[in-house]
Amino acid sequence: MSDSGPTALVGDSLVQGGDWQAWLPEETIYNFGVGGDTTDDVIARLGDVISARPAIVVLLIGTNDLAWRRSVEHVVRNVETILVTIRRELPDTRILVESVLPRGHEFAEQLRDINRHLWQFAPTVHAQWLDLWPALALDDGELNPAYSEDRLHLNEAGYRAWVDELAPALERLRQLPPSSRAITLPDLG
């Protein structure tokens, strides 16, 4: 798969902590995960991702914003900004937006709200959506305790469950036709 270009994984410590190259050996992985990052931080370093010119961008960001008491609207607006910027700067890049992962059940309502908005927005920038909640969450929205010791970060079993969802999603994404470019109108002024 890597012959059609590298895959950039963008996000926070959940992305940073993954051994993605070992788990996705057919992919050439650029890991742009940074521990503690919020959506504001990803916006600030988006130039690094764009400069890498990946064939695919996989985005998972937003849980740390809640720890900083940022609103659902703040997270959604920032993720939308990230996606619009990637689409504008990398029009041929395929984008996969992953749902913000479950954590403690006290965050479930906010996370579901964020994910609902992102699921609705993703198609407007020709991005695909991967909902990780069916694989990782309990019915009450709690991160399955089998996948985490601290109700936030994933253990080996949690990453395995994630990769089991991500690998086929990447395969499907590579099989899609390229996104159509925006039409640029001539400046008649």
Side-chain angles (χ1 to χ4, degrees):
M1 281 187 220
S2 62
D3 59 337
S4 41
T7 297
L9 291 118
V10 180
D12 51 32
S13 63
L14 294 163
V15 172
Q16 182 182 33
D19 190 3
W20 302 107
Q21 194 60 69
W23 298 332
L24 302 167
E26 294 88 26
E27 301 283 336
T28 299
I29 300 293
Y30 297 161
N31 189 333
F32 287 98
V34 175
D37 260 13
T38 64
T39 56
D40 293 306
D41 298 317
V42 169
I43 289 171
R45 62 186 179 83
L46 204 48
D48 295 339
V49 176
I50 291 165
S51 294
R53 311 220 47 88
I56 292 176
V57 172
V58 179
L59 179 67
L60 176 99
I61 192 69
T63 199
N64 290 326
D65 290 74
L66 298 181
W68 286 98
R69 302 201 188 294
R70 301 280 172 16
S71 67
V72 166
E73 293 78 15
H74 179 88
V75 176
V76 170
R77 184 177 56 250
N78 277 359
V79 173
E80 289 174 353
T81 298
I82 292 164
L83 294 172
V84 166
T85 303
I86 293 169
R87 177 55 62 223
R88 184 184 64 238
E89 299 298 323
L90 300 170
D92 297 324
T93 295
R94 291 175 166 92
I95 303 171
L96 180 64
V97 183
E98 296 177 299
S99 58
V100 182
L101 297 185
R103 53 187 294 179
H105 69 273
E106 65 274 16
F107 293 99
E109 186 177 328
Q110 289 174 288
L111 290 170
R112 283 186 177 117
D113 201 17
I114 290 167
N115 288 333
R116 182 176 45 80
H117 285 289
L118 298 181
W119 169 74
Q120 291 172 330
F121 183 78
T124 68
V125 291
H126 303 286
Q128 300 301 307
W129 174 255
L130 177 58
D131 185 2
L132 295 167
W133 276 54
L136 296 172
L138 300 177
D139 289 342
D140 68 354
E142 175 93 16
L143 176 59
N144 187 329
Y147 298 148
S148 177
E149 276 75 53
D150 65 0
R151 300 171 69 216
L152 174 61
H153 297 95
L154 298 177
N155 59 24
E156 187 177 328
Y159 277 109
R160 198 167 35 251
W162 184 357
V163 171
D164 286 347
E165 299 297 316
L166 180 57
L170 287 172
E171 190 173 322
R172 285 189 307 273
L173 189 63
R174 288 213 186 262
Q175 294 169 356
L176 291 174
S179 298
S180 59
R181 290 179 180 233
I183 298 170
T184 304
L185 298 175
D187 183 7
L188 302 174

